[in-house]
């Protein structure tokens, strides 16, 4: 009986783990596709050009990566500096730095 309960619990956990990962992957994939489509249509800057502008300003920080909000067309670049997370929001259309939150 105990083996059956343990097996059922492990099976439920495995099913949850398998379904949770693709949701995040699909969301990230949709963000990438939206950013690329806007850039290809001439309505935005590439992530590389935005990173080339922001990364030198954040020297000494560890770059964690970007997020993209396709509806607002804003990139959020994440850094760690002196143990604190720093967010730099950049307009995806113009490449202008909108705000920096420490």
């Amino acid at each position: 009986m105990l083996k059956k309960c343990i097996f059922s619990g492990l099976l439920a956990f495995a099913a949850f783990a398998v379904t949770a990962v693709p949701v995040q992957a699909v969301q990230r994939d949709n963000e990438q596709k939206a950013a690329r489509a806007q850039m290809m249509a001439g309505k935005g800057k590439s992530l590389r050009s935005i990173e080339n502008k922001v990364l030198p300003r954040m020297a000494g920080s560890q770059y964690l990566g970007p997020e993209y909000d396709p509806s607002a067309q804003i990139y959020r670049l994440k850094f760690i500096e002196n143990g604190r997370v720093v967010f730099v929001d950049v307009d995806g259309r113009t490449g202008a730095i909108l705000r920096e939150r420490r």
Side-chain angles (χ1 to χ4, degrees), residues 2-55:
L2 180 61
K3 288 181 181 180
K4 190 174 185 178
C5 288
I6 292 172
F7 179 72
S8 295
L10 289 174
L11 188 61
F13 176 76
F16 175 74
V18 168
T19 59
V21 173
V23 171
Q24 291 176 336
V26 168
Q27 181 180 5
R28 181 105 172 139
D29 188 48
N30 289 342
E31 290 173 0
Q32 277 185 322
K33 286 179 182 177
R36 180 155 179 77
Q38 289 168 352
M39 186 194 69
M40 296 302 286
K43 297 179 183 176
K45 299 283 185 184
S46 70
L47 175 59
R48 180 170 291 173
S49 69
I50 288 172
E51 288 173 334
N52 287 340
K53 182 177 184 176
V54 175
L55 292 178

Side-chain angles (χ1 to χ4, degrees), residues 71-92:
S71 61
Q73 295 183 346
I74 293 176
Y75 283 95
R76 172 167 282 174
L77 280 59
K78 296 179 286 185
F79 299 86
I80 290 184
E81 181 178 76
N82 299 324
R84 299 186 69 183
V85 177
V86 178
F87 297 108
V88 179
D89 294 339
V90 181
D91 187 319

Side-chain angles (χ1 to χ4, degrees), residues 57-74:
R57 293 186 62 203
M58 300 300 293
S61 300
Q62 179 183 358
Y63 182 45
L64 299 176
E67 286 183 5
Y68 183 68
D69 180 350
S71 61
Q73 295 183 346
I74 293 176

